[in-house]
Amino acid sequence: MIAKFKNRVDFSGLVSYANDIKSDEKRGRLLSYQGVCVVSNETIADSFNTHLRRPDSRGRVHHIGQPVKHVSISFSPEDAHLFPDNEDGDRYMAQLVDEWLRGMGITNAQYIVARHFDKTHPHCHLVFSRIDLDGNIISAFNERISSAKVCKEIKLRYGLTFGNTTGEKVNRDRLRPIQQLRFDVKSAAIVAANCSTSWAEFQHSLEAHGIEAYFIINSSTGEIRGIAFAKDGCRFAGSKLSKQKLSYGKLVAKFGELPNVGVNVLFTPSR
């Protein structure tokens, strides 16, 4: 997940670009909005422009040379399966954008979020006014630094894919086989965790993808210390794949303590 910022002068052209329902390539789809009339792109732009003249609590009207903020929010191609072209995919993307807005402190603003489909990676366009609903200016101070921090928190929270050390997106076709397998196991295990409500459902979903779950046992105390996932002879620790989604502690928090019966998984003692 990465957010790129641009300042603009005019709302009309940007709204038409973001919510471009006429383009077969973009297929703009409105995901969420606040404080605007969404009857048409014209009414959306009019809502933005009219609000620019709203006075603040002291009766002052703020004039900004570039009152339009355009943010492109993109996700890794490795996470494309999390954003299918349906209501569930749209809802999940809108949720993450909402969390980004809250993390940035942008909660009292006019905005629209529109999804596009003209790239290989999932992405959407956020348009918001730098004059909030109370007539105050939304500060742009350190916005890129703050955004990088918020994006990292969201990726950790939901187990989204990080880029490599240079910041570039990972191209799966250029990975070595073991790296490709790791991505496949991670993606399938996260989907299984998201879609399951119990250990049994989680196990069945893993098996459908050819993945085995191993609980790591302390040989001295007999206590479970962690969980690992294996496929094609390779095993990966859940905490290494995603601390926020696949560690044993997070799975216990979601599914409850492991029952004594009903879950047929393989146990291996830890060293």
Side-chain angles (χ1 to χ4, degrees), residues 107-132:
T107 58
N108 189 37
Q110 290 177 300
Y111 69 82
I112 63 168
V113 180
R115 183 178 182 181
H116 283 190
F117 296 86
D118 56 332
K119 304 292 184 181
T120 57
H121 59 273
H123 69 288
C124 61
H125 295 269
L126 165 66
V127 180
F128 70 88
S129 174
R130 292 185 61 203
I131 302 295
D132 72 13

Side-chain angles (χ1 to χ4, degrees), residues 61-62 93 119 171 179 184 208 216 222-223:
V61 176
H62 298 279
M93 184 176 291
K119 304 292 184 181
N171 185 342
Q179 293 173 317
D184 292 342
I216 302 172
E223 295 179 351

Side-chain angles (χ1 to χ4, degrees), residues 40-83:
S40 66
N41 285 343
E42 289 75 18
T43 63
I44 294 174
D46 287 343
S47 298
F48 279 124
N49 288 320
T50 300
H51 196 78
L52 291 177
R53 299 187 291 273
R54 180 182 178 86
D56 63 15
S57 60
R58 296 184 179 182
R60 296 174 299 180
V61 176
H62 298 279
H63 299 282
I64 306 176
Q66 294 181 313
V68 187
K69 184 68 71 172
H70 175 206
V71 186
S72 301
I73 299 180
S74 303
F75 302 89
S76 169
E78 297 297 331
D79 296 327
H81 64 282
L82 300 174
F83 305 95

Side-chain angles (χ1 to χ4, degrees), residues 56-222:
D56 63 15
S57 60
R58 296 184 179 182
R60 296 174 299 180
V61 176
H62 298 279
H63 299 282
I64 306 176
Q66 294 181 313
V68 187
K69 184 68 71 172
H70 175 206
V71 186
S72 301
I73 299 180
S74 303
F75 302 89
S76 169
E78 297 297 331
D79 296 327
H81 64 282
L82 300 174
F83 305 95
D85 185 2
N86 57 32
E87 291 184 3
D88 290 337
D90 290 351
R91 190 179 301 111
Y92 188 49
M93 184 176 291
Q95 173 190 333
L96 297 186
V97 174
D98 179 70
E99 293 192 21
W100 181 89
L101 284 166
R102 293 179 182 278
M104 294 290 290
I106 306 171
T107 58
N108 189 37
Q110 290 177 300
Y111 69 82
I112 63 168
V113 180
R115 183 178 182 181
H116 283 190
F117 296 86
D118 56 332
K119 304 292 184 181
T120 57
H121 59 273
H123 69 288
C124 61
H125 295 269
L126 165 66
V127 180
F128 70 88
S129 174
R130 292 185 61 203
I131 302 295
D132 72 13
L133 294 174
D134 293 326
N136 301 307
I137 297 176
I138 296 175
S139 174
F141 179 72
N142 274 348
E143 62 184 1
R144 287 173 172 78
I145 296 175
S146 298
S147 176
K149 179 181 178 182
V150 172
C151 286
K152 181 179 180 180
E153 291 172 350
I154 293 174
K155 286 186 285 191
L156 287 172
R157 189 180 306 141
Y158 292 99
L160 301 178
T161 300
F162 281 79
N164 58 26
T165 55
T166 64
E168 298 174 353
K169 291 299 179 180
V170 177
N171 185 342
R172 184 184 183 282
D173 293 336
R174 299 180 64 181
L175 297 176
R176 291 178 297 174
I178 185 64
Q179 293 173 317
Q180 293 182 11
L181 180 61
R182 183 181 186 278
F183 272 119
D184 292 342
V185 171
K186 174 185 175 181
S187 300
I190 288 177
V191 170
N194 288 338
C195 298
S196 302
T197 59
S198 68
W199 284 105
E201 289 183 7
F202 183 50
Q203 180 202 354
H204 295 155
S205 183
L206 291 173
E207 291 176 345
H209 291 89
I211 300 172
E212 293 178 312
Y214 290 78
F215 289 104
I216 302 172
I217 309 299
N218 186 308
S219 57
S220 299
T221 65

